[in-house]
Amino acid sequence: DAGVIQSPRHEVTEMGQEVTLRCKPISGHDYLFWYRQTMMRGLELLIYFNNNVPIDDSGMPEDRFSAKMPNASFSTLKIQPSEPRDSAVYFCASSLSHTQYFGPGTRLTVL
Amino acid sequence: DQQVKQNSPSLSVQEGRISILNCDYTNSMFDYFLWYKKYPAEGPTFLISISSIKDKNEDGRFTVFLNKSAKHLSLHIVPSQPGDSAVYFCAARRGLIQGAQKLVFGQGTRLTINP
C-alpha cells in the first residue's frame, strides 16, 4: 500500500517567491494534517482537515500561509510570499482514527 | 506552554541492553498517547500507543508504560538493536472534545545504540 506522498521532497527558493507543497493522503483516510518541524519549535501542527474541511488552522503562523484540500486525495500548503524564517521540513500526515501516518516531508529552504 | 515534554534530548545505550525513553505531560485531558520513531530524511513512523485506561501496552521488543497519577509515560526497548538508533517522539491526544484528532508532540529524544 502506498503511504502518504509528498512533493517536492526538496525546495529551494528565494525570499518573496510563492511556494506550493503537495500531499496525497492514504486512500480512505478522512483526516489530513500539515506539520512543520524546526530545531527551535520541534514538530508543530499547522492545520488539519476532516473530510476535506479545515477544522483547526490555529497553528498557521501568518496570513502568508494557506492550505486547501479540494478533494479527498489531494492537499496543498502554500506560502506567499516566502521568507527565510519559513525554512523548515514540512510534513503531511493522514489518519482514520488514533494513529497518524506521516509522509517523508518536504525540506524547504528560503534564501 | 510545552504540554508534552521529553527532558532528555539524547540517550546512548549499548546493544542488547534496555533503552528507556521518558515523557511527561501536563494536560490531564490527554487520553491517548503514541510513540513515533524518526530516521533522518524520513517522516515519523508510528511505533506503539496506549490508551489512558491502560497502564501498559506491549508489542514485541517495545513496551509503553503509563502512570497517570504522575502524568508520565515511558517507552522500553528490550533488547536494543543498532537499527533502533533514531529520534523518538512522544505524542498525546485530547479525547472527547472538538479537535480531538490533534496530537501534541514532545521535542524528541535521540537514541543511539552502540555496538
Side-chain angles (χ1 to χ4, degrees):
Chain A
D1 288 340
V4 175
I5 299 172
Q6 290 187 247
S7 65
R9 292 295 309 275
H10 302 273
E11 177 79 36
V12 180
T13 190
E14 292 189 348
M15 184 173 64
Q17 296 298 305
E18 177 179 297
V19 174
T20 299
L21 311 181
R22 296 172 177 80
C23 175
K24 178 179 169 55
I26 294 172
S27 177
H29 283 190
D30 56 355
Y31 283 88
L32 183 138
F33 306 81
W34 282 100
Y35 289 88
R36 178 172 68 176
Q37 185 182 28
T38 61
M39 289 294 293
M40 291 294 294
R41 300 175 66 88
L43 196 60
E44 55 180 340
L45 177 66
L46 300 177
I47 185 171
Y48 80 94
F49 296 82
N50 178 219
N51 292 322
N52 314 337
V53 176
I55 301 300
D56 186 342
D57 66 354
S58 59
M60 296 286 261
E62 299 171 35
D63 291 344
R64 298 184 297 107
F65 285 69
S66 62
K68 294 182 179 179
M69 192 165 185
N71 57 62
S73 59
F74 184 66
S75 177
T76 59
L77 178 67
K78 185 177 293 186
I79 308 172
Q80 165 64 17
S82 58
E83 296 183 3
R85 59 190 167 127
D86 301 331
S87 297
V89 180
Y90 291 81
F91 290 104
C92 176
S94 69
S95 77
L96 192 55
S97 60
H98 303 294
T99 305
Q100 294 180 21
Y101 296 88
F102 284 76
T106 295
R107 180 172 293 278
L108 173 64
T109 303
V110 183
L111 303 174
Chain B
D1 178 23
Q2 190 71 21
Q3 297 185 63
V4 178
K5 298 180 183 179
Q6 294 176 256
N7 291 319
S8 298
S10 64
L11 176 67
S12 185
V13 175
Q14 193 169 2
E15 181 179 359
R17 306 294 291 268
I18 183 171
S19 295
I20 300 176
L21 296 99
N22 294 303
C23 178
D24 297 298
Y25 61 95
T26 57
N27 192 333
S28 58
M29 296 296 291
F30 288 146
D31 75 334
Y32 202 82
F33 303 89
L34 306 91
W35 284 94
Y36 283 82
K37 172 177 164 180
K38 185 182 180 305
Y39 293 119
E42 294 184 11
T45 302
F46 169 71
L47 195 56
I48 191 170
S49 61
I50 187 167
S51 166
S52 61
I53 63 174
K54 296 186 175 181
D55 55 16
K56 176 182 174 182
N57 188 27
E58 196 171 350
D59 183 1
R61 296 186 299 114
F62 302 91
T63 303
V64 56
F65 295 92
L66 176 62
N67 182 334
K68 284 195 296 182
S69 61
K71 294 190 178 65
H72 176 84
L73 64 157
S74 61
L75 174 68
H76 292 210
I77 307 173
V78 182
S80 300
Q81 299 174 354
D84 296 330
S85 296
V87 177
Y88 289 77
F89 291 95
C90 168
R93 189 201 76 156
R94 291 190 307 177
L96 302 178
I97 58 174
Q98 188 179 14
Q101 289 294 336
K102 289 173 67 170
L103 293 181
V104 179
F105 283 84
Q107 292 289 90
T109 297
R110 181 177 301 278
L111 175 65
T112 303
I113 305 301
N114 302 307

